[in-house]
Amino acid sequence: MGGKENKAKERREKRLQEISLLRTIPYSDHQRWWSTDTIAVVTGGNRGIGFEIVRQLAAHGLTTILTSRDEAVGQEAAKVLREGGLNVVYHQLDVTDNTSIGSFTDWLRQNYEGADVLINNAGVNFNIGSENSVESARTVVETNYYGTKNLTKAMIPLMRPSAAGARIVNVSSRLGRLNGRRNRIEDLSLRQKLGDLDTLTEEFIDHTIDRFLEQVDEGTWSSGGWPKMFTDYSVSKLAVNAYTRLTARIMSSRPEGERISVNCYCPGWVKTAMTGWAGNVSVEEGADTGVWLALLPGQAVNGKLFAERREINF
């Protein structure tokens, strides 16, 4: 192993030690803004990163609502966590179904009068290893982008005002970065428009997605300058990243006490079913930054993309 590989391994081991240490240190009283009355909602919580996010939030003492598309597996996941002494509630939620979203938000309003934390984790990816098929592009986009967007819109009126402020965390990916050295959109003009927060609109994000899906239908996507790796997944997460920044900007204009911080993060290549168990990051590590963002004291962090508790460029 060469010098660069050794240094990278050392940095990774040091980071893992830091995360392990941070998990063992309880939040001090002045940092702990939440209680058992604090309500956290996690989508896609029946397995993988979502399940671990639910576990960690509940272990910190929040009342955590685990949601999943499949009710049977979701109920079983919640039962496992409750048997471990955690305060976890289950409700069915399919983020691609507006009727399901409506039923869930009605239930949430009636039973809890809203929520304090929303973690949009539900997502799909149909490519494994070096595969790069766009056969399921519409399903990927509908789940990862439109599912996140539509649930966020439905939840914003239910995010409870408080001095600590409500929080929304979107699970995203480095693969959706605008200006990464690899896997970025080749069209410089498009990158600039998506990156200009002063002029960015929801309609333009949707237009970009529509343009991609049209080229998929036409069979011209491969020459369209789209990301080369996991193309449909990358485009969906690019849209999530852009929508995160846009929503954060809008929420920041709210009056004090009614603001909602909106951030996203990349959990890394996590060893889960989505990666075919080929990832190099544990689910505990993959969930860590999302939970950290959800529990940060204050709302100084807003509209940012993180990985390993560090801000990275969009």
Side-chain angles (χ1 to χ4, degrees):
M1 185 179 292
K4 288 185 178 179
E5 289 82 357
N6 279 326
K7 288 182 180 179
K9 182 179 180 182
E10 289 172 4
R11 285 195 299 269
R12 178 171 172 75
E13 289 176 348
K14 182 180 179 182
R15 186 62 189 146
L16 288 172
Q17 290 171 358
E18 289 172 351
I19 291 174
S20 178
L21 177 62
L22 285 165
R23 288 200 192 105
T24 66
I25 301 174
Y27 285 81
S28 61
D29 289 341
H30 76 279
Q31 291 178 311
R32 188 183 174 97
W33 57 268
W34 64 92
S35 69
T36 55
D37 294 327
T38 304
I39 308 300
V41 173
V42 182
T43 67
N46 58 289
R47 67 178 187 177
I49 298 169
F51 180 84
E52 180 60 20
I53 288 173
V54 172
R55 189 192 70 77
Q56 289 188 27
L57 287 173
H60 278 297
L62 289 77
T63 296
T64 308
I65 300 171
L66 184 159
T67 74
S68 67
R69 181 175 53 186
D70 187 313
E71 184 166 1
V73 296
Q75 289 279 20
E76 181 60 30
K79 179 183 176 183
V80 168
L81 293 172
R82 285 196 298 269
E83 288 174 348
L86 299 177
N87 188 9
V88 175
V89 179
Y90 176 76
H91 197 280
Q92 192 275 341
L93 173 61
D94 180 351
V95 299
T96 67
D97 182 343
N98 287 332
T99 300
S100 178
I101 290 175
S103 296
F104 173 73
T105 52
D106 287 346
W107 171 84
L108 184 67
R109 183 184 295 106
Q110 293 167 11
N111 288 272
Y112 298 98
E113 298 182 345
D116 305 280
V117 174
L118 168 63
I119 298 191
N120 285 305
N121 166 75
V124 293
N125 173 34
F126 294 95
N127 288 305
I128 302 295
S130 60
E131 297 173 8
N132 193 29
S133 167
V134 294
E135 183 179 345
S136 303
R138 287 194 177 274
T139 299
V140 171
V141 167
E142 287 292 338
T143 305
N144 297 357
Y145 170 55
Y146 285 110
T148 293
K149 183 177 81 164
N150 292 340
L151 180 62
T152 297
K153 285 187 167 186
M155 285 290 294
I156 283 174
L158 292 175
M159 301 303 285
R160 304 193 297 192
S162 68
R167 295 101 193 283
I168 297 175
V169 179
N170 297 324
V171 180
S172 192
S173 175
R174 288 183 180 91
L175 290 172
R177 293 172 67 194
L178 271 177
N179 295 303
R181 284 179 292 178
R182 298 186 304 163
N183 213 47
R184 66 186 180 188
I185 292 175
E186 292 177 7
D187 186 333
L188 177 58
S189 174
L190 180 56
R191 291 208 311 271
Q192 290 173 337
K193 289 176 182 177
L194 287 169
D196 187 346
L197 194 53
D198 291 331
T199 59
L200 182 65
T201 64
E202 179 184 333
E203 290 74 20
F204 186 74
I205 300 172
D206 290 355
H207 171 74
T208 301
I209 290 294
D210 289 343
R211 175 177 161 189
F212 167 67
L213 291 176
E214 285 172 6
Q215 291 186 13
V216 168
D217 290 342
E218 294 166 356
T220 60
W221 67 271
S222 59
S223 59
W226 302 104
K228 303 300 183 186
M229 295 171 56
F230 301 129
T231 301
D232 52 6
Y233 181 81
S234 298
V235 171
S236 73
K237 292 303 187 179
L238 172 74
V240 168
N241 290 344
Y243 185 69
T244 297
R245 297 181 73 209
L246 177 62
T247 309
R249 186 190 71 189
I250 295 169
M251 293 299 104
S252 66
S253 65
R254 287 186 160 201
E256 193 84 27
E258 296 181 20
R259 292 176 187 168
I260 303 172
S261 65
V262 188
N263 295 284
C264 55
Y265 88 102
C266 174
W269 195 237
V270 183
K271 192 172 184 178
T272 64
M274 185 179 285
T275 65
W277 308 102
N280 57 5
V281 176
S282 69
V283 288
E284 293 84 2
E285 204 181 342
D288 176 77
T289 298
V291 174
W292 172 74
L293 281 169
L295 300 183
L296 276 175
Q299 288 191 302
V301 176
N302 190 35
K304 306 294 185 183
L305 170 62
F306 285 83
E308 299 175 345
R309 298 197 184 187
R310 293 184 176 91
E311 183 183 346
I312 60 176
N313 294 328
F314 279 96

